[in-house]
Amino acid sequence: MSCTCVVGLQWGDEAKGKIVDLIGGDHDFVVRYNGGNNAGHTVVWGDRIFKLSLLPTGTLNPNVTSVIGNGVVVYPPQFLKEVDALAAGGISVGKNLAVSDHAHVIFPYHMAEESATEKTDSSIGTTGRGIGPCYQDKFGRTGGIRLGELLHPKHLRERLQSIVPRKNRVIRALAGDAGGVKEFDADQVCDEYLGYAERLRPHVQDTAYLLNDGLKAGKRILFEAAQGSLLDVDHGTYPYVTSSHSLPSGIWSGSGVPAKHLTRIIGVVKAYTTRVGRGPFPTELADGPEGIGERIRKIGREYGTVTGRPRRVGWFDAVASRYTAMLSGADEITVMLLDVLSGLDELRICVAYELDGQRRTTFPSDAFVLERCTPVYETLPGWKEDLTKVRKAADLPVAARKYVERISELIALPVSVVSVGPDRAQTIMLQGK
Ligand code: IMP
């Protein structure tokens, strides 16, 4: 039995999609277990670019069954939009895409609720996709609706008739004097969602059985984490996190596959760090339009796949990645976007933090403490060569090799892959299972 997980060890956007695409074909199932259409996975095949935010990256491979697990929150219009976009690109999606009947559904009022909250002083800079309010309703138990319920029209109407008036009151209260909020009509929402339900129906099933039966039959599963480990609701930089478990700890609850089946955990890091939205970021390079931060942003095309927001950019933070490597149980790491750092005279890696005159190498529990930490850097020589055509480790400039080796030493894990460009071909395999 073989279950692999690909997980980001930073604040998301580590290029996990590329790794999932590379090894997805060695698996029978590719499964998402957390988040929703707040994720952004870009896969490049030559001149073809696929951008997915809700469907698992595995959906691109017709020989793999893609599964949206129960831990994911599903916005049906986005699901159908991505299915249609794949069909237009010649990738047909049918029985090979399954979505859990236990997965909670995002409704337009979730986005309105989030938008009203984000206008208050509690803003955390979300993606605005209704993710937080949908999970709130799930865990609050009274306002959540699961995908399976969409297939029962009478039941769905009754639930929405009870929930929507309450939601209208909440949204009005959140907006306060600012007003300008839209009132939702339960019947209208219900009619709209019953339309989606008909198209979703063939994909909806209890995916926990699908996956566990698959395991019994010797099938291999690849779990694709969305967001990064530092955005995990329990272990990330709370409250500047997402509302799900992006760490592999979310697999058991978010898919129904017991953790004992996991045999390989691949931690993905960028050769530098990025973050979108608010929250502490000790190694951030806020060095202006002519600075290194802007240079990395431009070369690395560091703009959000979902929202188009410019990502905040900083040096590699080994304290943070060592912490998430520990929590994720990673066996190995892959270092992505190394090519982006070409041309810099020197590079920095954060090896510790300084707080109130004390040096520490552990990641603080509280975001407000992390905010006060200053990075302690080690400086390494840069390299001038373009790396995008390098295919073997031996052909990397010495400085680039040393940089990767230092990351590996600091995280205390072997590096299995170095990526030097978005295309599948731009990959250097160092070792593999
Ligand atoms: P939410 O997930 O939309 O609620 O946003 C919460 C925080 O997580 C915000 O800072 C977002 O920018 C961040 N976030 C959510 N999804 C991603 C992602 O896929 N990549 C990077 N940041 C993300």
Side-chain angles (χ1 to χ4, degrees), residues 11-13 38-40 124-128 131 227 231 241-242 276-277 309:
W11 277 286
D13 309 310
N38 49 347
I124 55 170
T126 68
T127 60
I131 305 293
Q227 290 82 49
L231 291 172
V241 291
T242 192
V276 206
R309 289 182 289 179

Side-chain angles (χ1 to χ4, degrees), residues 99-212:
V99 51
S100 170
D101 53 2
H102 290 43
H104 277 250
V105 180
I106 299 179
F107 286 90
Y109 49 75
H110 288 128
M111 282 170 276
E113 189 177 341
E114 180 167 328
S115 156
T117 310
E118 283 288 294
K119 286 186 190 120
T120 68
D121 57 6
S122 304
S123 158
I124 55 170
T126 68
T127 60
R129 298 299 187 264
I131 305 293
C134 184
Y135 278 113
Q136 259 168 259
D137 281 344
K138 168 177 174 170
F139 288 99
R141 296 157 303 159
T142 52
I145 295 182
R146 310 202 300 183
L147 257 183
E149 294 178 80
L150 251 53
L151 308 181
H152 301 276
K154 185 166 170 290
H155 165 87
L156 179 68
R157 199 168 296 277
E158 281 166 12
R159 296 273 347 261
L160 283 165
Q161 280 167 349
S162 140
I163 292 165
V164 171
R166 231 182 321 145
K167 281 289 169 188
N168 282 331
R169 286 197 295 277
V170 168
I171 296 165
R172 259 199 318 271
L174 281 168
D177 294 339
V181 293
K182 178 175 175 237
E183 287 275 312
F184 291 94
D185 178 86
D187 284 314
Q188 226 171 33
V189 174
C190 184
D191 293 340
E192 181 188 337
Y193 273 63
L194 287 176
Y196 304 139
E198 278 323 296
R199 285 197 61 201
L200 278 159
R201 188 183 289 274
H203 302 285
V204 179
Q205 58 179 288
D206 187 340
T207 53
Y209 277 112
L210 177 72
L211 294 172
N212 282 289

Side-chain angles (χ1 to χ4, degrees), residues 150-415:
L150 251 53
L151 308 181
H152 301 276
K154 185 166 170 290
H155 165 87
L156 179 68
R157 199 168 296 277
E158 281 166 12
R159 296 273 347 261
L160 283 165
Q161 280 167 349
S162 140
I163 292 165
V164 171
R166 231 182 321 145
K167 281 289 169 188
N168 282 331
R169 286 197 295 277
V170 168
I171 296 165
R172 259 199 318 271
L174 281 168
D177 294 339
V181 293
K182 178 175 175 237
E183 287 275 312
F184 291 94
D185 178 86
D187 284 314
Q188 226 171 33
V189 174
C190 184
D191 293 340
E192 181 188 337
Y193 273 63
L194 287 176
Y196 304 139
E198 278 323 296
R199 285 197 61 201
L200 278 159
R201 188 183 289 274
H203 302 285
V204 179
Q205 58 179 288
D206 187 340
T207 53
Y209 277 112
L210 177 72
L211 294 172
N212 282 289
D213 288 347
L215 279 176
K216 273 191 217 137
K219 307 277 188 203
R220 295 150 307 167
I221 304 181
L222 176 60
F223 292 97
E224 172 178 340
Q227 290 82 49
S229 301
L230 293 167
L231 291 172
D232 182 276
V233 68
D234 269 290
H235 297 284
T237 46
Y238 191 87
Y240 303 102
V241 291
T242 192
S243 296
S244 65
H245 291 107
S246 41
L247 277 161
S249 57
I251 291 176
W252 195 334
S253 59
S255 73
V257 173
K260 66 180 178 183
H261 296 299
L262 276 175
T263 46
R264 182 182 181 193
I265 298 176
I266 304 173
V268 185
V269 295
K270 265 179 190 166
Y272 47 93
T273 312
T274 60
R275 138 159 245 179
V276 206
R278 292 183 56 203
F281 183 178
T283 62
E284 182 166 15
L285 278 158
D287 50 358
E290 303 301 322
I292 296 174
E294 185 55 30
R295 178 195 163 103
I296 294 177
R297 183 175 302 113
K298 278 210 184 100
I299 299 175
R301 290 185 286 273
E302 294 295 356
Y303 299 88
T305 315
V306 174
T307 59
R309 289 182 289 179
R311 296 181 183 138
R312 297 159 66 192
V313 173
W315 294 118
F316 187 82
D317 185 339
V319 180
S321 295
R322 194 164 48 225
Y323 166 69
T324 49
M326 170 185 83
L327 293 167
S328 65
D331 300 299
E332 64 198 88
I333 49 173
T334 66
V335 178
M336 315 301 285
L337 291 117
L338 186 67
D339 54 298
V340 173
L341 298 181
S342 288
L344 295 173
D345 294 331
E346 48 187 36
L347 301 165
R348 289 174 161 202
I349 296 181
C350 169
V351 293
Y353 298 144
E354 204 175 277
L355 179 69
D356 300 329
Q358 301 276 323
R359 186 184 162 111
R360 61 183 289 167
T361 51
T362 53
F363 197 72
S365 306
D366 295 296
F368 59 89
V369 176
L370 182 63
E371 197 81 67
R372 294 197 298 112
C373 288
T374 51
V376 177
Y377 287 118
E378 201 173 276
T379 303
L380 282 84
W383 59 89
K384 298 289 171 207
E385 296 88 335
D386 171 20
L387 305 187
T388 56
K389 296 197 173 57
V390 177
R391 300 291 177 267
K392 293 201 300 273
D395 295 337
L396 282 171
V398 174
R401 257 200 330 259
K402 290 224 158 109
Y403 182 74
V404 173
E405 278 163 18
R406 189 65 187 129
I407 288 178
S408 170
E409 267 167 27
L410 287 164
I411 302 185
L413 285 176
V415 174

